[in-house]
Each structure stands twice: as C-alpha cells, then as structure tokens.
Amino acid sequence: MKPNRPITRRRALSLLGAAASLPAIHTARAADARKLRIGIMAGEDEDLWRVIAANAAKEGLDLSIVPFSDYNTPDEALAEHEIDANAFQHGPFLQAQIAARGYNIVAVGNTWFSPIGLYSTRWKSVADLPRNAVIGVPNDPSNEGRALHLLEALGLIRLPPSAGLLPTPLDITDNPRNLTFHELDAGIVGRSLPDLDAAIVNTNWALKAGIDLVKQKIGQESLHDNPYVNFIAVNAADAQAPWVTPLVNAVHQPSTSAAIETIFHGSVLPAWT
C-alpha cells in the first residue's frame, strides 16, 4: 500500500478537539501495520471505542481513535488512506457514497444497530400529528430515504416500490395529512426539534441534541430484516489484511455489548449476536 499523506487542513478542521483525551492521532501511516487509525463520529462513540481499544490491545493492536464531526468526511479520509478503517455507517449510506464518489470501500464486520426514531416535543403519538404538520428529516440520501421509509411504515405517507432505499419527498405518492418536510443536515435536525412538529433523528445525533429517547419518541423503525446495521469499513485492498480479524474481534466482545447498553441507554443494539 502506498504511504499515507498527512491529513489535509480542510479535513483536520472537521475533527473535534475531543481527541486530546484519546490516543494520539498519527499524521503519517505507521510502519507497523498493527498501529491503526480508526475514524468514528465524535460524541458517545468515543466512549465506546475506548472500551474497544482496550480489547484491541489484547489482540495486539494499537488503535488511535479519530473523531469526525460530519458523516461525509470519514469515507473520504479512508479512501485517501488518512485513516485505516472507519466505523460509523450502514450499507445504504456506503453504497450512496460509492455511487457518488467512486470509493473502493468494503464492510468487514458488523458493529451495532441504531434504530432511527421519530421524535416530537409537541405531540404524544403519531396519531396526534395534525394535518399540515412540519417534519424534519436528514438531508443526506441514505438517511433521508430511511426516514421516509419509517414514515411510510407509520402510515403517514406512501412510496412507490421503484423508489428503493433512497426515496426523496418528490417520490411520495400519497400524503393524506399534507405533511411538509424540512430537509436538514443530520447533525442539525435534532436541535431543530422544538421548531418542528416532529423530526426523524439518528440516535447518536438525538443524544447530542439532548432529546429524551424514551419520552419524546413517537415512532421507531423495526429491527426485522433491517438493512441499516452499522459496520467496520476498510479500503478493499485491506480487506484481507492480517489486522482486520483482530479488529473485528475487538468489537465482538461482551465488554463491548455491556458498554453499548450503558452508553446508549438501551437505544442501540449489538449487531453480531
């Protein structure tokens, strides 16, 4: 594999300062392939990956955790070999990234499943949502599609089968309550909840926004046959690298399951059991 180049200024600005409490971030690829840089989303995932890093040390790996502040940057950093792996995304998101940017990135092991939820500070149930309600949805293709499929499952809209996993509001064929959709960045939609009738928010962003995952949730997607399981991703050229199996093993541990339960208050589930 070609040597790694330093993290660019633009990408460095997307990293949060929380790294001060984490292992040092390398600026060049270590000669030892077992020293790995793992890209994750900043926030609660950092607490979880401290546990995984301790497991990884027992597997002979030295992990440096690199937190990112937006969803689009970790795959770019991985494709440019600024990190060795990332763990933040599900299949539809990666496929959308590959289609848009031509990345040669593959999944190598499941991590956890985070059901997306419909939240409201104004209404107690889906049945209470009024006509002309304003609903916030994430604006990236995979999460917006996921949000709209949840609204369909809750009986609020109808989508054509031809829309697949990536529908947009333009694909809606039936909207009996005349809902209006505000398409917002995934990191903003949760913080905008007080200004909306309801919003579909990814669990990690709901936690960051201070949303009560129990009291303010009025709908949640089913776990059955759900394609949105998260995983560890690597460049395809590294899929058979000797450090991949130990890295996946470091996640698939009882201590990781326990940490998931504690950190995410039961709202996230291990996806390897």
Side-chain angles (χ1 to χ4, degrees):
M1 178 178 296
K2 64 182 180 181
N4 203 10
R5 63 181 180 81
I7 293 177
T8 63
R9 173 179 171 79
R10 178 172 64 81
R11 191 160 9 267
L13 291 174
S14 76
L15 305 179
L16 298 187
S21 62
L22 299 171
I25 298 173
H26 300 298
T27 58
R29 188 179 181 87
D32 182 354
R34 291 189 175 268
K35 292 184 177 180
L36 304 173
R37 292 161 299 173
I38 313 298
I40 65 169
M41 296 307 297
E44 291 77 14
D45 283 10
E46 295 175 69
D47 296 328
L48 179 56
W49 274 88
R50 289 187 181 94
V51 175
I52 296 170
N55 294 340
K58 299 174 184 177
E59 298 277 346
L61 303 180
D62 179 10
L63 303 189
S64 291
I65 307 305
V66 185
F68 290 86
S69 62
D70 72 88
Y71 280 139
N72 292 316
T73 316
D75 279 335
E76 182 181 357
L78 180 58
E80 296 185 9
H81 303 281
E82 294 173 353
I83 55 177
D84 299 287
N86 65 43
F88 77 102
Q89 64 191 321
H90 49 62
F93 183 89
L94 177 58
Q95 291 308 310
Q97 291 281 84
I98 290 171
R101 307 186 184 200
Y103 296 146
N104 194 14
I105 293 172
V106 298
V108 293
N110 288 347
T111 55
W112 41 86
F113 175 72
S114 179
I116 200 167
L118 177 65
Y119 299 91
S120 180
T121 59
R122 299 180 184 179
W123 311 103
K124 298 298 184 181
S125 70
V126 171
D128 291 336
L129 286 173
R131 184 174 175 80
N132 301 319
V134 179
I135 311 295
V137 296
N139 65 2
D140 62 277
S142 65
N143 282 307
E144 181 172 56
R146 186 179 184 183
L148 294 177
H149 278 295
L150 173 56
L151 293 176
E152 181 178 43
L154 295 172
L156 292 170
I157 61 172
R158 185 175 297 170
L159 297 163
S162 60
L165 290 175
L166 301 175
T168 73
L170 295 176
D171 294 307
I172 295 172
T173 57
D174 191 21
N175 184 4
R177 299 194 203 184
N178 196 37
L179 303 177
T180 298
F181 302 97
H182 280 199
E183 298 167 286
L184 302 166
D185 182 87
I188 295 174
V189 64
R191 296 198 298 270
S192 302
L193 183 59
D195 301 319
L196 303 164
D197 287 290
I200 294 183
V201 190
N202 296 76
T203 298
N204 59 331
W205 288 117
L207 290 167
K208 292 179 178 67
I211 293 173
D212 190 315
L213 299 183
V214 176
K215 294 181 179 179
Q216 294 175 339
K217 183 181 290 180
I218 62 174
Q220 177 176 295
E221 66 185 348
S222 170
L223 307 185
H224 181 65
D225 291 333
N226 198 298
Y228 296 101
V229 170
N230 284 18
F231 48 71
I232 296 170
V234 302
N235 285 296
D238 287 333
Q240 302 301 320
W243 48 264
V244 169
T245 295
L247 178 60
V248 173
N249 288 343
V251 175
H252 296 182
Q253 296 296 325
S255 59
T256 309
S257 296
I260 289 171
E261 171 67 25
T262 299
I263 293 167
F264 296 102
H265 311 290
S267 64
V268 174
L269 302 173
W272 64 88
T273 57

